[in-house]
Amino acid sequence: MNSDSKEQYLIEKEPYYKEVHDEISLYEAAYAARLPMMVKGPTGCGKSRFIEYMAWRLQRPLISVACNEDMTASDLVGRFLLDKDGTKWQDGPLTTAARIGAICYLDEIVEARQDTTVVIHPLTDHRRTLPLDKKGELIQAHPDFQLVISFNPGYQSSMKDLKQSTKQRFGALDFSYPERDIEVVIVAHESGVSDDMAEKLVSIAERSRNLKGHGLDEGLSTRMLIYAGALIQKGVAPIAACSMALVRPITDDPDMRDALDAAVSTFF
């Protein structure tokens, strides 16, 4: 594994991140102890951005994997591939991270099959090893390696939840949508709109979040507010921008759509 392969995973430019509580110092302590970490919270609330920021802050390579139900253990660990010279082994992202000492971020881990997630177990206890059964190799994780997983507790069900044998291997940080003042700053900074416009967008989001469990699975996320702000900044009328970036993506129910459209009209 040459140095170039490590350099390509470094985050060169500081990602914008606004601290909400004391999550930065807590994560730094967890990384110092090489504690596997779990970040939990609703979609679009800043979990992935936080991990990107911490990788930049700690100057560690970051390898991210978007988990899905079709992902196999081989997708994480690696597999033999055929080429003109015969077969060669190709490391998966988890193996690469363990070798070079990167932070490996498994996003939405509950989307992966449970028989896939068990491959992370030896990496998340005192062993810090990764067996490559197909290759007959046992990797000892690099001293700088850390495993981080994320998921949205709001989508948990009996079919999509982590086993206790997996959960209890991790420290955990809870994330939610930022407090109003902080969220206004984030939306204004990331989208380029004025503070006044950002306040209106956050107010719409707050109304939608009150509808969670009453017609909406989730309220409007900070990410969606930034999308709406970006459209407004490009000259799209606020009501049209909110319809396209906020209301239409989050629900197909006509009554709920009308209720959200009415909330948007209140501010614009």
Side-chain angles (χ1 to χ4, degrees), residues 11 17 27 37 39 46-56 62 64 103 105 148 175:
I11 297 173
Y17 182 77
Y27 186 94
M37 285 300 294
V39 290
K47 301 188 297 295
S48 297
R49 177 65 66 90
F50 171 68
I51 299 304
E52 289 178 11
Y53 173 78
M54 293 309 302
W56 172 85
L62 175 66
S64 298
I103 296 171
Y105 176 49
V148 182
F175 282 72

Side-chain angles (χ1 to χ4, degrees), residues 15-240:
Y16 178 77
Y17 182 77
K18 187 80 171 170
E19 186 171 26
V20 177
H21 296 297
D22 53 358
E23 63 271 20
I24 291 176
S25 61
L26 288 172
Y27 186 94
E28 285 178 331
Y31 181 76
R34 300 302 185 266
L35 178 68
M37 285 300 294
M38 171 167 52
V39 290
K40 304 186 295 180
T43 183
C45 71
K47 301 188 297 295
S48 297
R49 177 65 66 90
F50 171 68
I51 299 304
E52 289 178 11
Y53 173 78
M54 293 309 302
W56 172 85
R57 186 180 174 98
L58 295 166
Q59 296 185 303
R60 300 311 313 156
L62 175 66
I63 298 178
S64 298
V65 181
C67 298
N68 62 78
E69 60 188 9
D70 296 322
M71 190 173 71
T72 66
S74 294
D75 292 326
L76 278 180
V77 174
R79 53 169 55 90
F80 282 105
L81 299 176
L82 282 171
D83 65 12
K84 58 183 175 54
D85 299 318
T87 60
K88 67 174 183 179
W89 175 263
Q90 177 70 50
D91 280 345
L94 182 62
T95 305
T96 300
R99 288 192 196 274
I100 69 175
I103 296 171
C104 185
Y105 176 49
L106 304 182
D107 191 18
E108 297 297 347
I109 185 73
V110 293
E111 297 296 331
R113 302 193 314 240
Q114 289 186 339
D115 61 333
T116 300
T117 57
V118 295
V119 303
I120 69 178
H121 284 189
L123 281 170
T124 53
D125 57 28
H126 66 282
R127 292 171 289 179
R128 285 176 60 87
T129 58
L130 179 61
L132 306 182
D133 294 335
K134 293 180 180 178
K135 196 181 179 189
E137 180 183 355
L138 181 65
I139 295 176
Q140 184 67 47
H142 189 287
D144 293 336
F145 169 79
Q146 185 193 33
L147 185 64
V148 182
I149 62 175
S150 76
F151 69 99
N152 181 353
Y155 290 151
Q156 282 185 36
S157 68
S158 59
M159 297 299 291
K160 281 193 174 182
D161 195 3
L162 289 179
K163 292 180 178 179
Q164 283 296 327
S165 59
T166 301
K167 282 183 178 178
Q168 294 187 19
R169 296 169 180 272
F170 291 84
L173 288 171
D174 279 325
F175 282 72
S176 186
Y177 302 120
E179 295 173 3
R180 178 183 177 84
D181 291 347
I182 296 176
E183 191 166 26
V184 168
V185 171
I186 292 170
V187 173
H189 180 277
E190 292 289 86
S191 68
V193 297
S194 66
D195 289 347
D196 180 61
M197 182 64 72
E199 283 187 10
K200 292 179 179 180
L201 293 171
V202 170
S203 296
I204 294 167
E206 288 175 339
R207 294 198 176 189
S208 76
R209 291 165 192 168
N210 291 332
L211 296 172
K212 182 178 178 180
H214 302 281
L216 288 181
D217 293 329
E218 289 282 354
L220 296 170
S221 69
T222 307
R223 179 193 296 135
M224 297 174 80
L225 301 184
I226 293 168
Y227 288 167
L231 289 173
I232 292 169
Q233 187 67 5
K234 291 296 183 184
V236 178
I239 288 179

